[in-house]
Amino acid sequence: MNNTFYGRNFLTLLDFTKEEISELLLLAAKLKAKKKANAECRPLTGKNVVLLFEKDSTRTRCAFQVGANDLGMNVTYLGPTGSQMGKKETIKDTARVLGRMYDGIEYRGYKQETVEILGKYSGVPVWNGLTDKYHPTQILADFLTIIEKFGHLEGINFTYMGDARNNMGNSLMIGAAKMGMNFTACAPKDLWPKEDLIQTCQEIAKASGATLRFTDDVKEGAENADVIYTDVWVSMGEPQEVWQERIQKLLPYQVNKQVMESAGETAIFMHCLPAFHNRDTKVGEEIFQQFGIEAMEVTEDVFESEQSVVFDEAENRLHTIKAVMYATMREPK
């Protein structure tokens, strides 16, 4: 591990080179192997980190908490009502308070601006666990999973299907452009990524050899894909009236058996979770009662198929997040 990571924030993959992303993925693979071998690795013993959540989560919280504990650190969790940030105290002031007490800060919430303020004023590494704009820790987990399945990232045909203008669509496009992948956004035209971000990624792609493609044709988007990726159609916090509009617009982009057949037998299915693939959740049943559909962004038969690697992705959140914390907090020798 080189010294270029120490003390840095992890807010968006735009801040990191292809070589640096590759190094983080290699470190994650090494840390995963050590954990599987029960080889203790606690290089950050005595450090303290705080997890600052404005949005609840299963995978992000567990990955950061277990990862920090594995590395020897103490963890404080502050949930949506656990701090005064943005209510009685400014984000800037919260950053400076937490930076005096902790060696690292994780933030999961809404505005990208919030995590950037934390990173600017805290004086310690800040990690983006999710904002409305970017989700960089998830992308590392996705890419580690792809490497495990295919052995490489360069040249992988990657199709993101659904709402390509959300934090996952943005971040996957950035990551693919950085790593030399062939990225396709398959979505209604008004849900393609914003033009300024597309132009930024096109410039990145020139150096890496990546290609970026945008289509509203499902068959074209799925054909010859190595990876079919989707995400929820409505994010937590969006109003109820959004559901009907999104379902009507995105139902043609549901990942089903026909989509996977277009991709081919060797293609894998990915999803950052949680997924609405049946009626076995409160939301899933409400959607069925209101709209009469058994599943939303992915059908049950695809989600539970041999091609699905969603739980490999979920586990890899732990190992890649550990790598980010290790790299940014381990003092160079």
Side-chain angles (χ1 to χ4, degrees), residues 10-307:
F10 190 78
L11 309 183
T12 169
L13 290 181
L14 288 170
D15 296 336
F16 294 85
T17 66
K18 177 181 181 179
E19 292 72 26
E20 288 172 331
I21 295 169
S22 295
E23 191 165 356
L24 287 172
L25 292 170
L26 181 60
L27 175 60
K30 290 178 179 177
L31 291 172
K32 181 175 183 177
K34 284 188 175 184
K35 188 171 180 67
K36 296 294 184 183
N38 293 316
E40 190 174 77
C41 177
R42 300 172 66 83
L44 301 178
T45 298
K47 301 281 188 181
N48 294 283
V49 296
V50 60
L51 311 182
L52 190 56
F53 278 59
E54 290 185 318
K55 275 187 175 182
D56 289 325
S57 170
T58 300
R59 281 150 298 282
T60 302
R61 178 179 177 180
C62 293
F64 269 102
Q65 189 143 8
V66 173
N69 289 336
D70 282 355
L71 293 169
M73 295 190 284
N74 304 307
V75 180
T76 300
Y77 172 76
L78 296 177
T81 61
S83 79
Q84 295 295 347
M85 186 179 76
K87 293 173 286 202
K88 295 181 179 179
E89 186 172 62
T90 67
I91 300 166
K92 182 177 176 180
D93 290 353
T94 300
R96 291 180 288 186
V97 168
L98 295 178
R100 297 292 184 97
M101 298 183 182
Y102 293 95
D103 302 293
I105 299 169
E106 182 272 349
Y107 170 80
R108 178 184 172 92
Y110 297 94
K111 294 181 180 179
Q112 179 71 15
E113 180 186 9
T114 300
V115 77
E116 290 173 356
I117 293 172
L118 291 169
K120 182 176 181 179
Y121 291 101
S122 67
V124 299
V126 173
W127 313 297
N128 181 0
L130 174 143
T131 66
D132 289 349
K133 194 171 184 179
Y134 301 125
H135 197 0
T137 59
Q138 178 66 52
I139 308 312
L140 291 185
D142 297 336
F143 285 3
L144 179 60
T145 306
I146 292 170
I147 291 170
E148 290 173 343
K149 302 305 175 184
F150 294 100
H152 60 95
L153 292 175
E154 286 191 357
I156 288 291
N157 296 324
F158 185 104
T159 294
Y160 179 85
M161 197 164 287
D163 180 359
R165 187 169 283 201
N166 67 9
N167 50 17
M168 285 304 302
N170 291 342
S171 297
L172 286 165
M173 180 173 66
I174 293 167
K178 291 271 185 179
M179 305 310 292
M181 301 163 70
N182 301 317
F183 176 83
T184 297
C186 185
K189 290 181 179 180
D190 61 337
L191 292 179
W192 291 356
K194 292 184 178 179
E195 188 60 31
D196 58 343
L197 185 58
I198 290 176
Q199 291 304 315
T200 296
C201 289
Q202 291 284 19
E203 289 300 313
I204 295 169
K206 288 178 183 178
S208 71
T211 63
L212 305 181
R213 183 174 64 145
F214 305 90
T215 182
D216 59 358
D217 186 297
V218 173
K219 187 173 181 180
E220 179 185 349
E223 193 171 15
N224 297 320
D226 297 308
V227 178
I228 298 289
Y229 199 116
T230 193
D231 189 14
V232 294
W233 291 343
V234 180
S235 297
M236 185 174 68
E238 292 190 88
Q240 185 68 29
E241 53 266 24
V242 170
W243 285 96
Q244 183 170 359
E245 176 191 351
R246 292 283 177 83
I247 289 171
Q248 289 176 345
K249 183 172 289 188
L250 290 173
L251 196 56
Y253 299 88
Q254 181 187 70
V255 179
N256 51 36
K257 185 178 179 180
Q258 290 71 34
V259 169
M260 296 306 296
E261 286 177 349
S262 294
E265 293 181 2
T266 61
I268 61 173
F269 169 73
M270 303 184 77
H271 193 305
C272 55
L273 303 182
F276 295 116
H277 54 95
N278 57 30
R279 296 166 54 188
D280 294 346
T281 63
K282 180 180 178 181
V283 172
E285 181 60 24
E286 289 175 353
I287 292 298
F288 174 76
Q289 294 299 331
Q290 189 170 355
F291 301 105
I293 56 175
E294 296 277 349
M296 285 197 287
E297 71 274 9
V298 58
T299 55
E300 178 82 351
D301 56 347
V302 171
F303 187 87
E304 296 292 353
S305 71
E306 291 294 322
Q307 290 175 284

